[in-house]
Short mmCIF file of all heavy atoms in Angstrom, two decimals:
data_model
loop_
_atom_site.label_atom_id
_atom_site.label_comp_id
_atom_site.label_asym_id
_atom_site.label_seq_id
_atom_site.Cartn_x
_atom_site.Cartn_y
_atom_site.Cartn_z
N VAL A 682 -14.14 7.03 73.15
CA VAL A 682 -13.34 6.85 74.38
C VAL A 682 -13.11 5.37 74.66
O VAL A 682 -11.99 4.94 74.97
CB VAL A 682 -14.05 7.52 75.58
CG1 VAL A 682 -13.34 7.14 76.89
CG2 VAL A 682 -14.07 9.03 75.41
N ILE A 683 -14.17 4.56 74.53
CA ILE A 683 -14.04 3.12 74.76
C ILE A 683 -13.09 2.49 73.75
O ILE A 683 -12.27 1.63 74.09
CB ILE A 683 -15.43 2.44 74.68
CG1 ILE A 683 -16.31 2.89 75.85
CG2 ILE A 683 -15.29 0.92 74.70
CD1 ILE A 683 -17.74 2.39 75.78
N SER A 684 -13.18 2.95 72.50
CA SER A 684 -12.29 2.42 71.45
C SER A 684 -10.84 2.75 71.75
O SER A 684 -9.94 1.91 71.56
CB SER A 684 -12.69 3.00 70.09
OG SER A 684 -14.02 2.62 69.76
N ILE A 685 -10.57 3.97 72.22
CA ILE A 685 -9.21 4.38 72.56
C ILE A 685 -8.67 3.55 73.72
O ILE A 685 -7.51 3.11 73.72
CB ILE A 685 -9.16 5.89 72.91
CG1 ILE A 685 -9.45 6.73 71.65
CG2 ILE A 685 -7.81 6.26 73.50
CD1 ILE A 685 -9.55 8.21 71.92
N VAL A 686 -9.54 3.31 74.73
CA VAL A 686 -9.13 2.50 75.88
C VAL A 686 -8.74 1.10 75.44
O VAL A 686 -7.72 0.54 75.87
CB VAL A 686 -10.28 2.44 76.92
CG1 VAL A 686 -9.97 1.39 78.00
CG2 VAL A 686 -10.47 3.81 77.57
N LYS A 687 -9.54 0.51 74.55
CA LYS A 687 -9.25 -0.84 74.07
C LYS A 687 -8.01 -0.85 73.17
O LYS A 687 -7.19 -1.77 73.24
CB LYS A 687 -10.45 -1.39 73.31
CG LYS A 687 -11.65 -1.70 74.19
CD LYS A 687 -12.79 -2.28 73.36
CE LYS A 687 -13.99 -2.64 74.25
NZ LYS A 687 -15.11 -3.18 73.45
N LEU A 688 -7.88 0.17 72.32
CA LEU A 688 -6.77 0.23 71.36
C LEU A 688 -5.42 0.32 72.07
O LEU A 688 -4.46 -0.38 71.71
CB LEU A 688 -6.94 1.42 70.42
CG LEU A 688 -5.85 1.63 69.36
CD1 LEU A 688 -5.82 0.44 68.40
CD2 LEU A 688 -6.11 2.92 68.59
N PHE A 689 -5.36 1.15 73.10
CA PHE A 689 -4.08 1.36 73.80
C PHE A 689 -3.99 0.51 75.07
O PHE A 689 -3.06 0.68 75.86
CB PHE A 689 -3.91 2.84 74.15
CG PHE A 689 -3.74 3.72 72.95
CD1 PHE A 689 -4.82 4.41 72.41
CD2 PHE A 689 -2.50 3.84 72.33
CE1 PHE A 689 -4.68 5.24 71.30
CE2 PHE A 689 -2.34 4.66 71.22
CZ PHE A 689 -3.43 5.35 70.70
N ASP A 690 -4.98 -0.37 75.27
CA ASP A 690 -5.00 -1.29 76.41
C ASP A 690 -4.78 -0.55 77.73
O ASP A 690 -3.92 -0.90 78.55
CB ASP A 690 -3.91 -2.36 76.23
CG ASP A 690 -4.13 -3.54 77.18
OD1 ASP A 690 -5.28 -3.74 77.61
OD2 ASP A 690 -3.14 -4.23 77.50
N ILE A 691 -5.59 0.49 77.93
CA ILE A 691 -5.49 1.31 79.13
C ILE A 691 -6.17 0.59 80.30
O ILE A 691 -7.31 0.13 80.18
CB ILE A 691 -6.13 2.69 78.92
CG1 ILE A 691 -5.43 3.42 77.76
CG2 ILE A 691 -6.07 3.52 80.19
CD1 ILE A 691 -6.08 4.73 77.38
N ASP A 692 -5.47 0.49 81.40
CA ASP A 692 -6.01 -0.20 82.58
C ASP A 692 -6.87 0.76 83.40
O ASP A 692 -6.39 1.76 83.94
CB ASP A 692 -4.86 -0.73 83.44
CG ASP A 692 -5.37 -1.61 84.59
OD1 ASP A 692 -6.58 -1.92 84.60
OD2 ASP A 692 -4.56 -1.97 85.47
N LEU A 693 -8.16 0.45 83.47
CA LEU A 693 -9.09 1.30 84.22
C LEU A 693 -9.53 0.65 85.53
O LEU A 693 -10.54 1.06 86.11
CB LEU A 693 -10.33 1.60 83.35
CG LEU A 693 -10.09 2.35 82.04
CD1 LEU A 693 -11.40 2.52 81.30
CD2 LEU A 693 -9.46 3.72 82.31
N THR A 694 -8.78 -0.34 85.96
CA THR A 694 -9.17 -1.08 87.17
C THR A 694 -9.27 -0.16 88.38
O THR A 694 -10.25 -0.22 89.14
CB THR A 694 -8.14 -2.20 87.46
OG1 THR A 694 -8.02 -3.05 86.32
CG2 THR A 694 -8.59 -3.02 88.67
N TYR A 695 -8.27 0.70 88.56
CA TYR A 695 -8.27 1.58 89.73
C TYR A 695 -9.43 2.58 89.66
O TYR A 695 -10.09 2.84 90.68
CB TYR A 695 -6.95 2.34 89.83
CG TYR A 695 -6.87 3.28 91.01
CD1 TYR A 695 -6.74 2.77 92.31
CD2 TYR A 695 -6.97 4.66 90.85
CE1 TYR A 695 -6.68 3.61 93.40
CE2 TYR A 695 -6.91 5.51 91.94
CZ TYR A 695 -6.77 4.98 93.21
OH TYR A 695 -6.73 5.82 94.29
N LEU A 696 -9.67 3.09 88.44
CA LEU A 696 -10.78 4.04 88.27
C LEU A 696 -12.11 3.37 88.58
O LEU A 696 -12.96 3.95 89.27
CB LEU A 696 -10.79 4.58 86.84
CG LEU A 696 -11.93 5.53 86.48
CD1 LEU A 696 -11.88 6.78 87.36
CD2 LEU A 696 -11.88 5.92 85.01
N MET A 697 -12.31 2.15 88.09
CA MET A 697 -13.55 1.42 88.35
C MET A 697 -13.69 1.11 89.84
O MET A 697 -14.79 1.14 90.39
CB MET A 697 -13.58 0.12 87.54
CG MET A 697 -13.57 0.33 86.02
SD MET A 697 -14.94 1.36 85.47
CE MET A 697 -16.33 0.31 85.88
N TYR A 698 -12.56 0.84 90.49
CA TYR A 698 -12.59 0.57 91.93
C TYR A 698 -13.03 1.81 92.69
O TYR A 698 -13.85 1.73 93.62
CB TYR A 698 -11.21 0.12 92.41
CG TYR A 698 -11.10 0.02 93.91
CD1 TYR A 698 -11.67 -1.05 94.61
CD2 TYR A 698 -10.44 1.02 94.64
CE1 TYR A 698 -11.58 -1.12 95.99
CE2 TYR A 698 -10.35 0.95 96.02
CZ TYR A 698 -10.92 -0.13 96.70
OH TYR A 698 -10.85 -0.20 98.06
N MET A 699 -12.50 2.99 92.31
CA MET A 699 -12.86 4.23 92.98
C MET A 699 -14.33 4.55 92.79
O MET A 699 -15.02 4.98 93.72
CB MET A 699 -12.00 5.37 92.44
CG MET A 699 -10.51 5.27 92.81
SD MET A 699 -10.23 5.34 94.60
CE MET A 699 -10.77 7.01 94.96
N ILE A 700 -14.84 4.30 91.59
CA ILE A 700 -16.26 4.55 91.31
C ILE A 700 -17.13 3.61 92.14
O ILE A 700 -18.18 4.02 92.67
CB ILE A 700 -16.55 4.38 89.81
CG1 ILE A 700 -15.83 5.46 89.00
CG2 ILE A 700 -18.06 4.43 89.54
CD1 ILE A 700 -15.96 5.32 87.50
N SER A 701 -16.70 2.37 92.27
CA SER A 701 -17.49 1.39 93.02
C SER A 701 -17.56 1.72 94.51
O SER A 701 -18.45 1.25 95.21
CB SER A 701 -16.90 -0.02 92.84
OG SER A 701 -15.61 -0.10 93.43
N GLN A 702 -16.62 2.54 94.99
CA GLN A 702 -16.59 2.92 96.40
C GLN A 702 -17.56 4.07 96.72
O GLN A 702 -17.77 4.39 97.88
CB GLN A 702 -15.17 3.32 96.82
CG GLN A 702 -14.16 2.19 96.71
CD GLN A 702 -14.57 0.97 97.51
OE1 GLN A 702 -14.78 1.05 98.71
NE2 GLN A 702 -14.68 -0.18 96.83
N ILE A 703 -18.12 4.68 95.68
CA ILE A 703 -19.06 5.78 95.89
C ILE A 703 -20.42 5.20 96.25
O ILE A 703 -21.02 4.46 95.47
CB ILE A 703 -19.18 6.65 94.63
CG1 ILE A 703 -17.82 7.23 94.24
CG2 ILE A 703 -20.19 7.78 94.85
CD1 ILE A 703 -17.84 8.03 92.95
N ASP A 704 -20.92 5.51 97.44
CA ASP A 704 -22.23 5.00 97.82
C ASP A 704 -23.33 5.92 97.31
O ASP A 704 -23.07 6.96 96.71
CB ASP A 704 -22.33 4.81 99.34
CG ASP A 704 -22.10 6.10 100.11
OD1 ASP A 704 -22.35 7.19 99.55
OD2 ASP A 704 -21.66 6.03 101.27
N LEU A 705 -24.58 5.53 97.55
CA LEU A 705 -25.72 6.27 97.02
C LEU A 705 -25.78 7.70 97.55
O LEU A 705 -26.10 8.63 96.83
CB LEU A 705 -27.02 5.53 97.34
CG LEU A 705 -27.41 4.39 96.40
CD1 LEU A 705 -28.66 3.69 96.91
CD2 LEU A 705 -27.63 4.90 94.98
N VAL A 706 -25.48 7.86 98.84
CA VAL A 706 -25.55 9.20 99.45
C VAL A 706 -24.53 10.13 98.79
O VAL A 706 -24.83 11.29 98.47
CB VAL A 706 -25.31 9.12 100.97
CG1 VAL A 706 -25.28 10.53 101.57
CG2 VAL A 706 -26.41 8.30 101.64
N GLN A 707 -23.32 9.63 98.59
CA GLN A 707 -22.29 10.43 97.92
C GLN A 707 -22.67 10.75 96.48
O GLN A 707 -22.44 11.85 95.99
CB GLN A 707 -20.95 9.69 97.96
CG GLN A 707 -20.34 9.56 99.34
CD GLN A 707 -19.11 8.68 99.35
OE1 GLN A 707 -19.02 7.69 98.62
NE2 GLN A 707 -18.15 9.02 100.21
N MET A 708 -23.28 9.75 95.82
CA MET A 708 -23.72 9.97 94.44
C MET A 708 -24.80 11.04 94.37
O MET A 708 -24.82 11.86 93.46
CB MET A 708 -24.24 8.66 93.85
CG MET A 708 -24.62 8.75 92.37
SD MET A 708 -23.23 9.20 91.30
CE MET A 708 -22.24 7.70 91.42
#
């Protein structure tokens, strides 16, 4: 998966932002 993301230069910024918004209680 990581190789595919790098190969096709997929932008995961929004996904990483959404994950970072999850607090411990939600997790």
